Amino acid sequence: MKNVIFIGPPGAGKGTQAAKLDDMFSFCHVSTGDLLRGEISKGSELGTKIKTVMDSGNLVSDELVAELLKANIDLSSKQYIFDGFPRNVSQAEIFQDEIMEENEYLAVLFDVDTDKLVERIVNRRVSSDGNHIYNLKTNPPKVAGVCDVTGLALVQRKDDTEEVVRNRMEVYLKETAPLVEYYKSKNKLKSVDADLEIEAVTKQIASFLQ
Ligand code: AMP
């Protein structure tokens, strides 16, 4: 099994699919957004700086994110789904030269109608530990406001409000979308129709991994 990179705009379902595929295959899901939120929750000076950038929807520095990622993975014994990294071409080069080196990987593009995404994201809620994702319209919890798995309260991420989401979309189009051509030219890109139901998307991605 290869390592997998997920590429797609905010709200395309990358985190949801990573959780499903971790259960089906022996992947570890590593999300740079989650690692950064973990750093913020430590309350350090670095965390405060990261929070200001994240709350605006802009990207944190390439070097900082790459170092955080390297400190949290072990490619000698595990296979990963990389969710949220690389996020631009310069990170893709760091990823190849300093992280993957000789390890095999595949990039999966979440192809989605971006017009639908803003609505999808403003309806997103996460358990207060950040580990479980819901959507008030398409994937609601059994009891309103409460995580089915942990019983914790559901919260809205600060960067999931409409104004910040619109900026995150612009950042995606400018910084991250060029990765599609980048991985296509390296013959490493597979594309999934992420407008389908959750289960159908999982099936498509699973078929790339057999
Ligand atoms: P996500 O949880 O993937 O939606 O990421 C939330 C926010 O974390 C982004 O809007 C960025 O501010 C920051 N972030 C996550 N991954 C990266 C990355 N690879 N490079 C720079 N910033 C990142």
Side-chain angles (χ1 to χ4, degrees):
M1 184 90 58
K2 290 178 180 174
N3 295 281
V4 181
I5 302 170
F6 279 176
I7 301 173
K14 302 184 297 295
T16 300
Q17 292 300 329
K20 296 224 160 244
L21 292 156
D22 287 355
D23 290 345
M24 289 169 68
F25 300 95
S26 49
F27 280 117
C28 293
H29 172 206
V30 61
S31 148
T32 44
D34 287 347
L35 294 179
L36 290 164
R37 283 183 281 276
E39 207 51 46
I40 293 173
S41 68
K42 289 183 191 162
S44 63
E45 202 176 314
L46 178 64
T48 311
K49 283 188 191 146
I50 294 172
K51 185 173 184 327
T52 309
V53 179
M54 281 177 80
D55 284 353
S56 69
N58 292 323
L59 295 185
V60 175
S61 88
D62 297 342
E63 292 70 25
L64 195 158
V65 183
E67 289 314 312
L68 193 59
L69 181 61
K70 284 184 205 168
N72 282 278
I73 57 174
D74 175 12
L75 282 160
S76 66
S77 63
K78 294 177 189 150
Q79 307 263 235
Y80 289 89
I81 292 178
F82 293 92
D83 168 9
F85 192 99
R87 209 115 164 175
N88 57 31
V89 171
S90 130
Q91 290 184 9
E93 277 162 2
I94 297 174
F95 185 76
Q96 175 66 63
D97 299 343
E98 299 176 24
I99 298 178
M100 294 311 285
E101 298 171 339
E102 302 308 315
N103 290 288
E104 295 265 347
Y105 64 95
L106 179 75
V108 175
L109 170 68
F110 283 58
D111 195 5
V112 66
D113 177 356
T114 45
D115 290 343
K116 289 189 191 152
L117 287 180
V118 175
E119 195 195 348
R120 218 195 249 190
I121 300 182
V122 297
N123 283 308
R124 175 160 68 184
R125 297 293 180 273
V126 293
S127 52
S128 54
D129 62 1
N131 289 337
H132 301 276
I133 307 169
Y134 298 85
N135 183 288
L136 297 182
K137 294 210 168 142
T138 57
N139 183 27
K142 294 192 180 86
V143 177
V146 180
C147 174
D148 296 348
V149 183
T150 60
L152 293 169
L154 297 186
V155 295
Q156 184 178 37
R157 276 171 44 179
K158 200 163 179 196
D159 59 352
D160 276 353
T161 53
E162 186 162 346
E163 192 193 341
V164 179
V165 169
R166 292 201 184 278
N167 185 40
R168 288 167 65 200
M169 257 350 142
E170 274 178 35
V171 170
Y172 174 79
L173 292 173
K174 187 163 163 255
E175 300 278 340
T176 312
L179 289 179
V180 174
E181 284 310 314
Y182 179 90
Y183 285 118
K184 221 184 244 174
S185 72
K186 293 188 180 308
N187 221 2
K188 286 189 184 296
L189 191 82
K190 294 275 185 195
S191 195
V192 63
D193 179 357
D195 284 324
L196 298 175
E197 295 287 318
I198 292 175
E199 301 302 333
V201 176
T202 310
K203 242 183 176 173
Q204 267 194 29
I205 302 174
S207 74
F208 305 147
L209 305 175
Q210 306 294 343

